Amino acid sequence: MRIDKFLADVNLGTRSEIKKIIKQKRVRVNDEIIRDPKIQVDLESKVYVDDSLITYQRYFYYMLNKPQGVISATSDTSARTVLDLIAKKDLVKDLAPVGRLDKDTTGLLLLTNDGQLAHDLLAPKKHVAKLYQALIAGVVDEQTCESFAWGLILKDQTQLKPAQLEILSVDLNKEQSLIQITISEGKYHQVKRMFGAVGMKVLTLKRLKMGNLTLDQTLRPGQYRPLSMDELAMLKQS
Ligand code: URA
C-alpha cells in the first residue's frame, strides 16, 4: 500500500495534507525519512509521523448513544446529524451510521466505515434482532403481546414477522406502559407503526441492542466510544 493511503486511512489528513507532511520530512518509514508519497509500505513497516509510531487501522467502529434531535444521516442541509457528534480526529472517511433511528429515537447506533459489515447487519435475509425499550401511551396486555408474537398487520396491510413484546410495568392511572420489544426487521418507523396498528402511541423509544451488541449504559446521550475487540467479534457473529 502507498504511504499516503496508509496515512489517509488512519485519518492523518486529506491526501494533499499528507503530501505536505511528507514534503516537510515529518514521515519516517523504519529508519528512513521519506519524501515520496508513492512509496510502498506493508503491515510490517514501522511508520512514524513526528516520531510517533502510527498503528495501521483500516476500519473503525464506534458505538454511539444517540440523543434526541439529531438525524441518522451523514449530511443534511439544516438538521444536525450523528456525524456532528464525532470528534474530528475520529471522523474517518466514509464513516456512516449503520441503519437509521428516527430523529426522536435514542440509544444504540453503530457507526463504521466498514461497508461490508454494515451491509451484512442490514441485510433483510440476516434477520438481525434489534431490542428497544419504549414508553407507550396505552395499556399493553398479554393479548397485545400475543398479536405481536403472531406477526402484526400494519395499517397499510404490511405483514410483519413475529416480534417479542415484554411488559416491564403498566401505570393504569396514567394509562402508560413500559415495554421492551425485539424485532428482526427494519421497516420505516416500524415500532411506532406497530403500536399504531393496535391503537397505541409510542411516547419514547430507545434502542438497547442490535444483534449481539449491547448499548454501554455508561455512555451519556451524545457520547460514543470505539467498540472493544470482543464486541466487534460478537457483532460479526450476529
Ligand atoms: N422503530 C421506529 O418506529 N423508530 C425507530 O427509530 C426505530 C424503530
Side-chain angles (χ1 to χ4, degrees), residues 66 72 100-106 130 132 183 185-194 202 205 207:
K66 179 190 169 298
S72 304
R100 280 166 190 272
L101 291 177
D102 296 338
K103 193 170 179 182
D104 58 352
T105 301
T106 60
K130 271 97 46 182
Y132 295 88
I183 58 174
E185 300 162 284
K187 301 207 186 298
Y188 183 63
H189 290 334
Q190 183 164 336
V191 175
K192 292 174 185 164
R193 285 160 74 212
M194 289 172 89
V202 172
L205 186 61
R207 183 154 67 190

Side-chain angles (χ1 to χ4, degrees), residues 113-137:
N113 59 344
D114 181 346
Q116 185 60 53
L117 181 70
H119 178 269
D120 288 350
L121 288 170
L122 296 175
K125 273 197 203 140
K126 291 250 179 160
H127 307 301
V128 170
K130 271 97 46 182
L131 171 69
Y132 295 88
Q133 183 160 309
L135 182 65
I136 305 297

Side-chain angles (χ1 to χ4, degrees), residues 24-104:
Q24 290 166 340
K25 300 184 192 166
R26 290 165 59 195
V27 180
R28 181 155 57 90
V29 176
N30 301 323
D31 283 334
E32 219 177 303
I33 289 176
I34 56 122
R35 290 171 183 82
D36 180 0
K38 290 198 286 298
I39 75 146
Q40 296 285 322
V41 288
D42 57 32
L43 294 179
E44 246 89 273
S45 311
K46 290 217 176 328
V47 176
Y48 300 84
V49 175
D50 297 334
D51 288 330
S52 299
L53 182 64
I54 309 296
T55 309
Y56 184 73
Q57 188 176 339
R58 172 69 182 89
Y59 296 118
F60 294 78
Y61 307 87
Y62 302 115
M63 171 194 296
L64 168 71
N65 184 358
K66 179 190 169 298
Q68 284 197 345
V70 293
I71 61 168
S72 304
T74 50
S75 65
D76 193 85
T77 46
S78 53
R80 284 209 319 148
T81 75
V82 288
L83 287 194
D84 293 324
L85 301 168
I86 307 300
K88 194 164 175 262
K89 69 173 178 49
D90 297 326
L91 211 50
V92 291
K93 190 168 163 278
D94 297 332
L95 190 71
V98 178
R100 280 166 190 272
L101 291 177
D102 296 338
K103 193 170 179 182
D104 58 352

Side-chain angles (χ1 to χ4, degrees), residues 191-235:
V191 175
K192 292 174 185 164
R193 285 160 74 212
M194 289 172 89
F195 282 95
V198 294
M200 300 185 202
K201 194 168 184 281
V202 172
L203 298 175
T204 63
L205 186 61
K206 179 177 187 178
R207 183 154 67 190
L208 302 179
K209 269 187 95 167
M210 182 178 192
N212 294 328
L213 185 66
T214 302
L215 177 66
D216 178 343
Q217 298 288 349
T218 67
L219 289 175
R220 290 193 302 276
Q223 285 189 322
Y224 70 96
R225 65 157 173 80
L227 294 194
S228 68
M229 300 280 252
D230 282 353
E231 284 170 333
L232 180 58
M234 294 274 285
L235 184 64

